[in-house]
Amino acid sequence: MTQHETAGTSLSRGVHEGIAATLAPVDADLARRYPGDSGTRQPVHTVYVPADAFTGGTVRDWGDRALAALDEHAPGAGALAAVLGLPDELAEPVYRRVRAKLEREPVEDLRIDFEDGYGPRPDAEEDAAAAHAATVVAAAHAAGTAPPYVGIRMKCMEAAVRDRGIRTLDVFLTGLMDSGGLPDGLVLTLPKVTYAEQVSAMVRLCEEFEKARGLPAGRLGFEIQIETTQAILGSDGRATVARMIDAAEGRATGLHYGTFDYSASCGVSAAHQSMDHPVADHAKAVMQVAAAGTGVRLSDGSTNVLPVGPTERVHDAWRLHHGLVRRSLARAYYQGWDMHPGHLPTRYAAVYAFYREGLETASARLAAYVNRTGGDVMDEPATAKALSGHLLRGLDCGAVDAAEVEQLTGLDRAELDTLAGRARR
């Protein structure tokens, strides 16, 4: 075809307009339900601390205890690499970055727990703990020592503990407001959800608090914990997670898998309850499909095997945790729970090795895509989006540096955000 040839058509403009009108509701629904990634940083883990154990020194204490564990059980890059099976070329950069992370920002996301880790308490005691948590969180934000994300896990919406959970949420949020307002990075967690109506009730709580304190509509969001079978499959045989996301009316920020509650609800014996059990994989696959494109993020659960005791036992626990974290990362679960300071070295070692070992390959493929230079792999826009997202996650957690990514790809942070569909909103 020459430049001056014209393409003939047979359909009138009215056909185009008619189809557009027919699909307008679908277009609007797609935009509402599947807005894509929020463009914000996702933490690599969530640390759960019982409310009665939470103090202003908790984060630093976890970092110091993690560093002490490294010094005692893996005093050097070679020692840690030998325990975890890290390649020689990754041993030093990973170890150096792990230590720096534990010194600078040992906890990325802290959840002050008023549920299973706290248990039933007299009302006056839980009131005081919720008020104290708010005071400490507000002071940490004012001092610049708070982790990037912090909040509480309230009791669930089941009848026996519903009023207590609502009151704790109210006391905590009121305390934050009275101490200067809701901080950035505030996260609320709703556990043991079984019905979408419980999510709707949480939405109403958020709405009512916003109205009571003059906050913008939609200021409060929350995570949904998936730790019951009813959260995956309803009594009518229909998948449930997507209905819960819809019931959240745009307020759901994450889906967190609860390893032990979910496994127990499926009848898995205690000795076999694990993040890599088949019932866990099924639940997490359902969660993953339901959340895809919605902007709701995913988190895996935890291991209850703690790295404590003699060095041999610590090494065994570290190898288990490191393997589970790597397994989650490979399955696109980029966040998980850590239950003990001794888990932090292997959390960050697994995360940093994962992003660093793929750095040069991902960068080369992305550079070839952007520059249309080809190569031995022909990538499409969806793959370029995934490659950009991989590099951005590595940047967010400290696994890689902006300078080395830009040198390898020729792209700065803003360009990576655009390619990944993470343009800041």
Side-chain angles (χ1 to χ4, degrees):
M1 179 183 291
T2 68
Q3 184 177 358
H4 300 292
E5 288 186 80
T6 58
T9 62
S10 301
L11 299 176
S12 69
R13 184 60 192 167
V15 172
H16 291 252
E17 293 171 350
I19 290 176
T22 300
L23 292 180
V26 173
D27 296 339
D29 201 52
L30 281 170
R32 179 179 69 84
R33 294 177 186 272
Y34 302 102
D37 194 275
S38 67
T40 59
R41 168 187 180 182
Q42 180 179 10
V44 302
H45 69 170
T46 299
V47 164
Y48 277 70
V49 177
D52 57 336
F54 172 64
T55 70
T58 293
V59 171
R60 187 63 265 153
D61 176 64
W62 272 60
D64 291 342
R65 291 169 64 187
L67 285 165
L70 268 181
D71 290 338
E72 180 177 357
H73 302 294
L80 185 64
V83 173
L84 303 181
L86 297 178
D88 291 343
E89 64 272 16
L90 290 179
E92 183 58 38
V94 166
Y95 190 81
R96 184 177 68 252
R97 287 170 185 272
V98 168
R99 289 198 69 91
K101 181 72 167 182
L102 296 175
E103 292 167 355
R104 181 185 76 255
E105 187 185 74
V107 175
E108 291 196 357
D109 183 24
L110 175 65
R111 202 70 69 254
I112 307 156
D113 190 21
F114 286 89
E115 204 231 353
D116 284 350
Y118 184 72
R121 306 290 179 98
D123 283 340
E125 183 178 344
E126 185 158 338
D127 280 353
H132 173 73
T135 299
V136 173
V137 168
H141 273 278
T145 58
Y149 297 92
V150 63
I152 66 167
R153 177 168 73 168
M154 60 190 281
K155 290 177 172 63
C156 70
M157 287 291 182
E158 293 178 358
V161 294
R162 182 184 303 139
D163 286 345
R164 181 62 262 180
I166 293 171
R167 181 172 174 83
T168 296
L169 178 67
D170 189 6
V171 170
F172 177 70
L173 293 177
T174 298
L176 289 176
M177 291 297 297
D178 291 346
S179 297
L182 302 183
D184 293 335
L186 174 67
V187 187
L188 308 174
T189 304
L190 179 65
K192 292 183 174 59
V193 180
T194 52
Y195 280 74
E197 288 81 358
Q198 294 168 334
V199 176
S200 296
M202 186 67 173
V203 170
R204 182 179 175 188
L205 282 181
C206 293
E207 290 173 343
E208 293 298 332
F209 190 87
E210 290 164 354
K211 292 175 185 176
R213 298 306 299 246
L215 293 168
R219 172 63 179 85
L220 292 170
F222 55 91
E223 300 167 335
I224 301 170
Q225 279 202 278
I226 306 299
E227 46 189 344
T228 69
T229 55
Q230 295 91 341
I232 296 296
L233 190 69
S235 60
D236 58 0
R238 292 195 296 171
T240 320
V241 182
R243 294 168 62 193
M244 291 180 176
I245 293 174
D246 192 50
E249 299 179 23
R251 293 179 186 265
T253 58
L255 301 175
H256 284 231
Y257 176 68
T259 304
F260 304 104
D261 280 293
Y262 188 84
S263 298
S265 72
C266 288
V268 179
S269 63
H272 298 283
Q273 293 174 1
S274 174
M275 295 158 60
D276 58 357
H277 192 281
V279 302
D281 285 342
H282 171 258
K284 288 182 285 189
V286 174
M287 291 164 59
Q288 194 166 39
V289 173
T294 66
V296 177
R297 287 165 169 174
L298 301 169
S299 176
D300 209 335
S302 63
T303 175
N304 59 0
V305 179
L306 304 184
V308 296
T311 294
E312 183 179 0
R313 188 179 301 169
V314 171
H315 286 180
D316 286 342
W318 273 355
R319 279 189 286 268
L320 173 66
H321 184 241
H322 179 265
L324 289 170
V325 173
R326 279 195 60 90
R327 185 179 190 274
S328 297
L329 290 167
R331 286 159 173 75
Y333 268 74
Y334 300 112
Q335 186 175 351
W337 297 5
D338 288 325
M339 310 300 288
H340 187 274
H343 285 143
L344 299 186
T346 39
R347 168 68 61 181
Y348 290 120
V351 169
Y352 289 175
F354 178 77
Y355 289 113
R356 291 203 66 79
E357 68 191 13
L359 175 60
E360 291 190 6
T361 299
S363 297
R365 287 178 64 181
L366 188 60
Y369 172 83
V370 171
N371 296 319
R372 300 292 192 271
T373 56
D376 58 355
V377 179
M378 182 177 291
D379 288 320
E380 297 185 356
T383 306
K385 181 178 181 179
L387 290 167
S388 302
H390 180 85
L391 296 175
L392 287 166
R393 290 180 184 278
L395 286 168
D396 286 343
C397 70
V400 299
D401 299 325
E404 61 182 332
V405 171
E406 186 164 359
Q407 181 179 9
L408 289 167
T409 63
L411 303 169
D412 61 21
R413 175 67 192 238
E415 291 168 317
L416 288 172
D417 278 334
T418 300
L419 282 169
R422 288 178 58 176
R424 306 280 169 162
R425 292 198 286 270

